[in-house]
Amino acid sequence: MIPPQEASVRRREIEDKLKQEEETLSFIRDSLEKSDQLTKNMVSILSSFESRLMKLENSIIPVHKQTENLQRLQENVEKTLSCLDHVISYYHVASDTEKIIREGPTGRLEEYLGCMAKIQKAVEYFQDNNPDSPELNRVKFLFERGKESLESEFRSLMTRHSKVVSPVLILDLISGEDEMEAQDDITLEHLSESVLHDVIRISRWLVEYGRNQDFMNVYYQIRSSQLDRSIKGLKEHFRKSTSSSGVPYSPAIPNKRKDTPTKKPVKRPGHEHDFRVKHLSEALNDKHGPLAGRDDMLDMEIDAYIHCVSAFVKLAQSEYQLLTDIIPEHHQKKTFDSLIQDALDGLMMEGENIVSVARKAIIRHDYSAVLTVFPILRHLKQTKPEFDQVLQGTAASTKNKLPGLITSMETTGAKALEDFADNIKNDPDKEYNMPKDGTVHELTSNAILFLQQLLDFQETAGAMLASQETSSSATSYNSEFSKRLLSTYICKVLGNLQLNLLSKSKVYEDPALRAIFLHNNYNYILKSLEKSELIHLVAVTQKTAERSYREHIEQQIQTYQRSWLKVTDYISEKNLPVFQPGVKLRDKERQMIKERFKGFNDGLEELCKIQKAWAIPDTEQRDKIRQAQKTIVKENYGAFLHRYASVPFTKNPEKYIKYRVEQVADMIERLFDTSA
């Protein structure tokens, strides 16, 4: 049970809390009443505002519609005025642009093209809207005149700024790849950047708006002339350089290179060494000098042509790069084809002239001139891949020109090789043409010299021979096949030469001189083969060639030595009188000894006199033959003297014993020496 005191306290707390709640409730009632009053006031205000808005809307909408109509009318007026201004501007185009069109585009191309654009639009407007207007004829006239001025400007720019490429720049361009030089220094700039920009702008305008392709003809004619003149200038440079100093070189070009080129021999493009064609008559030049200067001139022609071929490739590549910037893509191949024709035809014609000269030389049996074909043909074949790449896309007739020239040269070269082999075999035996001293025949030196030239052109010569083959093996042509063909050919020439030498040797009545002649020629052939490494090429198809020549040489030495038998037979032991020491010789025996001495002396003097005028150019062989002969004669004559020098076979021994053994040896030592 709760105590009374606590209950009293609890009651007061409840009464206080109830009082607070009643006060709160009273506040809420007052607030609700105020809220209701405010709501009624707001509803009244909104109702009044809505009424006023409706009245305002009913007043504004008609005004808005009127304003919108007025704005539309204003826009129509403005558009009409703009159209009138635009139309009127077309009527002013002729007068606004006439002065500029009349003065031309030089120096203000962009402004000129802007005027042409205005004129073109005027032409289009009048054609579509007022074709009978006199203004149409006026702007058409201005357009045509402007187009002609642009065509004229194109021609003028190309003519004034297209310059011939100097020989030094061409030579640097050709040799740049071989010498690994920086290509930045030797790139070609046919047109300056500003000129190129103007030319490109005009060409594009003429194609797009001028509907004119005549400028392409102008372009290829001007550039074709420059290309042709550049190549001819290079050839003339070689001619002048050779005539003045014998060495073509490149003079300095200001503002074109960082360094000034020095005077130096020019390398042939694509060659590791400069092969100089030797004439077959070169061996006679020391004696007869009518060909002095001819070799240098021939070398110049070969070098010039080879360089011109390489120059054409490089310049044509450069021309195509320039052309792609100026000529529309679908016209580039045709224009390029026309552009290169003159220069290409010039090269092909010159090549055919070389072939023609070679053919005439073959008829005259002048095979030295035919050798000009070899370095040129080799270079043409080496350059053919670049040629084909440059001519890609040109007409078939253009592409076939180089292969046609190559075929012509191969056919002519093969004909020359075969005729040369036949000529070696059939060269007539002319007694007046035979060397009186038995030295190497001109035919031999010429033949070997010709074959030596082929060493530098093994693949070229082999290809020439292969081009004439009709066998199935020729269809699978390769370098090994070419090498075997060339080896077979060289062996054929050497065989023909050997047969001819044997035939020629019969001109000599003296068998000893005949043997010396054959010995000299065989020895010359062998040494030349070994020295020039022709022997390795011969060995491809004839393994025993070297041994065979050595046997022939030894055989001729033995034949020569038999010529001394008529001398040594006099002092040999056979048929010599036998006598006892101290026994007086009979008259017959004394006479026999006298005859032996006299026969030996006369034979020795006669042989030495004759053979002294003979020649053995090879020092080693000359010493070998002399030494062998000295040994034989000294032994026989020494034994003969030992037996009879003290025998009283005559009252005048000095009459018969004319020579000591050393004197005989000295006489033999002077054989084959015309200067002794």
Side-chain angles (χ1 to χ4, degrees), residues 1-47:
M1 190 167 177
I2 302 171
Q5 188 177 357
E6 290 181 3
S8 178
V9 172
R10 181 83 175 265
R11 185 177 179 181
R12 280 195 304 270
E13 290 177 352
I14 292 171
E15 288 176 352
D16 291 338
K17 189 172 183 179
L18 180 61
K19 186 179 181 179
Q20 289 177 355
E21 291 293 336
E22 287 176 351
E23 290 176 353
T24 303
L25 181 61
S26 177
F27 176 77
I28 291 173
R29 284 193 185 107
D30 292 339
S31 296
L32 285 172
E33 288 176 359
K34 290 179 181 180
S35 177
D36 287 342
Q37 186 64 36
L38 289 172
T39 302
K40 289 178 181 179
N41 292 336
M42 181 59 68
V43 169
S44 175
I45 292 170
L46 289 173
S47 297

Side-chain angles (χ1 to χ4, degrees), residues 11 16 72 138 179 280 296 300 303:
R11 185 177 179 181
D16 291 338
R72 189 179 295 112
R138 188 177 179 189
E179 298 178 3
L280 297 183
D296 288 339
M300 183 280 295
D303 280 335

Side-chain angles (χ1 to χ4, degrees), residues 39-57:
T39 302
K40 289 178 181 179
N41 292 336
M42 181 59 68
V43 169
S44 175
I45 292 170
L46 289 173
S47 297
S48 175
F49 186 70
E50 181 181 7
S51 174
R52 290 179 179 181
L53 280 177
M54 289 180 65
K55 290 179 180 180
L56 181 62
E57 183 179 354

Side-chain angles (χ1 to χ4, degrees), residues 218-384:
V218 172
Y219 177 86
Y220 92 70
Q221 289 168 2
I222 294 173
R223 295 307 307 170
S224 175
S225 174
Q226 300 305 322
L227 175 62
D228 191 40
R229 289 168 60 193
S230 296
I231 293 176
K232 288 179 179 177
L234 177 62
K235 184 177 181 181
E236 185 64 23
H237 170 73
F238 270 84
R239 182 177 290 109
K240 289 181 178 179
S241 298
T242 302
S243 61
S244 61
S245 62
V247 180
Y249 74 100
S250 305
I253 294 186
N255 303 323
K256 286 292 183 183
R257 299 196 61 194
K258 295 179 181 177
D259 301 322
T260 300
T262 55
K263 185 173 182 179
K264 59 184 179 181
V266 177
K267 290 184 179 180
R268 281 191 189 162
H271 296 270
E272 295 180 356
H273 62 279
D274 183 14
F275 173 79
R276 300 180 66 80
V277 175
K278 299 182 180 74
H279 285 271
L280 297 183
S281 52
E282 181 179 331
L284 301 178
N285 282 359
D286 293 339
K287 296 180 181 178
H288 310 284
L291 296 178
R294 182 183 168 198
D295 286 354
D296 288 339
M297 186 58 64
L298 184 61
D299 287 335
M300 183 280 295
E301 294 291 342
I302 296 172
D303 280 335
Y305 187 73
I306 286 176
H307 279 83
C308 286
V309 170
S310 294
F312 172 81
V313 173
K314 295 298 182 184
L315 293 177
Q317 289 173 342
S318 181
E319 287 292 343
Y320 189 75
Q321 291 173 358
L322 177 65
L323 177 142
T324 55
D325 291 330
I326 299 173
I327 304 300
E329 184 176 357
H330 54 287
H331 291 287
Q332 289 173 2
K333 296 295 185 182
K334 182 179 179 181
T335 304
F336 180 70
D337 196 341
S338 300
L339 189 155
I340 62 174
Q341 284 303 314
D342 286 348
L344 181 59
D345 286 344
L347 284 177
M348 295 302 105
M349 184 178 298
E350 191 171 348
E352 289 296 344
N353 288 339
I354 292 171
V355 172
S356 178
V357 170
R359 287 172 180 159
K360 293 176 181 178
I362 294 173
I363 296 174
R364 300 192 309 270
H365 303 301
D366 176 13
Y367 300 99
S368 59
V370 178
L371 291 173
T372 60
V373 172
F374 285 79
I376 293 173
L377 176 58
R378 178 174 68 180
H379 185 68
L380 289 179
K381 296 180 79 170
Q382 289 175 343
T383 314
K384 187 176 182 298

Side-chain angles (χ1 to χ4, degrees), residues 130 141 177 183 201 293 302 355 359-360 372 413 415 419 428 435 472-473 479 509 516 576 625:
N130 193 2
F141 173 78
E177 293 179 358
Q183 292 295 309
R201 291 283 286 120
I302 296 172
V355 172
R359 287 172 180 159
K360 293 176 181 178
T372 60
K415 171 68 173 174
D419 278 22
S472 58
S473 58
S479 58
E509 296 180 0
I516 291 296
L576 286 177
I625 293 173

